[in-house]
Amino acid sequence: MESQEENVEMEQDNIKEIKSLPPKPKKKTVEPGVIYLSRIPNGMTVRSFKEILGRYGTITHCYLQPDEKTVTKKGRKYSEGWIEYSDKKISKRVALSLNCQRVGIKKRSKWYDELWNMKYLSNFKWFHLTERLEYERALREQKLRKEVTQAKKETSFHIQNIGKSKKMRKMEKKKKEKPEEFKDDQKPDRIFSYKLKDTENEILARKTSGNINKNSDSLKSFNPDNYVNPKSVKANTSFLKNIFSGGL
């Protein structure tokens, strides 16, 4: 029993010692950093770009945007670029030290008169750039598809018109060569008749003429034999009242 108690006490002491020990320092994760270059020197390739900027640290990603408008025989020109270092501290240091500085150190270099234009992009990851590039690529493809469909429609329309014009020319030749065959097919010109609305003066004239006709019809249908004088009707009614009321 005593030995068991001693073992328990020893374990408790060991636990207290472990808890009292200072915690091990956590290893800091190195985050990459991205630099944006608003201008790429003339004649610079991706290889030379990496060679110059690779002296300052390890490069994980690099992308140069080609300028499609200015393609020369000597090579492709680039309008802008992005570069990613493995450590963001290095990328910050490079952006601060090389911005607005000469690209070529020696006078013999062809980029001696060129300047770096770069900026460190905080909270910017490389996948943001890839998403943007994919979106722009999808837009370009959609634009190309629209242009292709429009061109197909225009070509089909022109082909149809060419076929119609050929048929019309053949018909004209036949008419000139054999005009007798096409005499029966000629239809007379159709005459179109349009009825305009009556003006106010015409409507008033029609109404007045209608009233005059009605009055003339009533006069023609008048018969004097069938005419009853209203005064005689009143006299007859008063005479009948005296008879049936007993003279009251």
Side-chain angles (χ1 to χ4, degrees):
M1 294 292 289
E2 291 178 357
S3 62
Q4 290 179 357
E5 290 176 356
E6 288 177 357
N7 290 328
V8 171
E9 288 177 357
M10 288 288 287
E11 287 178 359
Q12 289 177 355
D13 292 334
N14 290 329
I15 290 165
K16 287 179 181 179
E17 287 178 0
I18 291 166
K19 287 182 177 180
S20 63
L21 289 171
K24 290 182 179 181
K26 293 181 180 179
K27 291 183 179 180
K28 291 183 179 179
T29 56
V30 179
E31 294 181 357
V34 182
I35 296 171
Y36 170 69
L37 291 95
S38 62
R39 186 179 178 278
I40 306 299
N42 292 325
M44 185 173 281
T45 60
V46 178
R47 186 176 178 181
S48 58
F49 184 74
K50 284 184 177 180
E51 285 177 359
I52 293 167
L53 294 177
R55 302 168 189 168
Y56 306 100
T58 55
I59 296 169
T60 54
H61 294 96
C62 176
Y63 178 75
L64 300 180
Q65 181 71 37
D67 192 359
E68 296 177 355
K69 295 180 180 178
T70 56
V71 178
T72 59
K73 293 180 180 179
K74 294 180 180 179
R76 182 178 287 181
K77 290 185 178 182
Y78 300 96
S79 59
E80 55 185 357
W82 291 265
I83 188 168
E84 185 187 51
Y85 286 97
S86 60
D87 191 358
K88 65 180 182 180
K89 290 181 180 178
I90 295 168
S91 57
K92 284 180 182 178
R93 198 181 302 121
V94 169
L96 289 170
S97 59
L98 294 182
N99 189 27
C100 297
Q101 298 296 323
R102 292 183 184 275
V103 177
I105 298 167
K106 296 180 181 180
K107 289 185 178 180
R108 292 180 181 178
S109 69
K110 56 183 177 181
W111 301 304
Y112 180 75
D113 295 327
E114 298 283 348
L115 298 176
W116 288 115
N117 294 316
M118 56 176 63
K119 182 182 179 182
Y120 172 73
L121 302 176
S122 60
N123 298 323
F124 187 84
K125 304 298 179 185
W126 194 257
F127 67 87
H128 294 147
L129 179 62
T130 54
E131 286 177 357
R132 178 194 163 190
L133 293 173
E134 286 177 0
Y135 176 70
E136 289 179 354
R137 193 179 296 111
L139 284 176
R140 283 198 298 273
E141 289 176 357
Q142 187 178 2
K143 188 178 180 182
L144 285 171
R145 283 197 296 271
K146 285 182 179 179
E147 288 176 356
V148 169
T149 52
Q150 186 68 25
K152 285 181 179 178
K153 285 180 181 178
E154 287 178 358
T155 51
S156 63
F157 178 73
H158 286 303
I159 289 164
Q160 288 177 0
N161 287 334
I162 289 164
K164 288 179 181 178
S165 63
K166 286 181 179 178
K167 288 180 181 179
M168 292 293 289
R169 285 172 186 172
K170 287 180 180 179
M171 290 290 288
E172 287 176 358
K173 283 183 180 179
K174 285 182 181 180
K175 284 181 181 179
K176 288 179 181 178
E177 291 173 358
K178 298 177 182 180
E180 296 175 355
E181 294 181 0
F182 296 94
K183 283 182 180 179
D184 297 332
D185 296 335
Q186 291 178 358
K187 294 181 180 179
D189 295 332
R190 188 182 293 177
I191 298 167
F192 296 96
S193 61
Y194 300 97
K195 188 177 180 182
L196 298 174
K197 288 184 178 181
D198 297 332
T199 60
E200 291 183 358
N201 295 326
E202 290 175 354
I203 292 164
L204 291 170
R206 195 188 307 115
K207 285 182 179 179
T208 52
S209 64
N211 292 326
I212 291 163
N213 291 328
K214 284 180 183 178
N215 293 326
S216 62
D217 293 335
S218 61
L219 290 170
K220 285 178 183 178
S221 61
F222 176 72
N223 190 359
D225 297 331
N226 296 326
Y227 178 73
V228 179
N229 192 358
K231 291 181 179 180
S232 63
V233 172
K234 285 181 181 180
N236 292 328
T237 52
S238 61
F239 176 71
L240 291 170
K241 281 181 182 180
N242 290 325
I243 292 167
F244 292 103
S245 62
L248 295 174

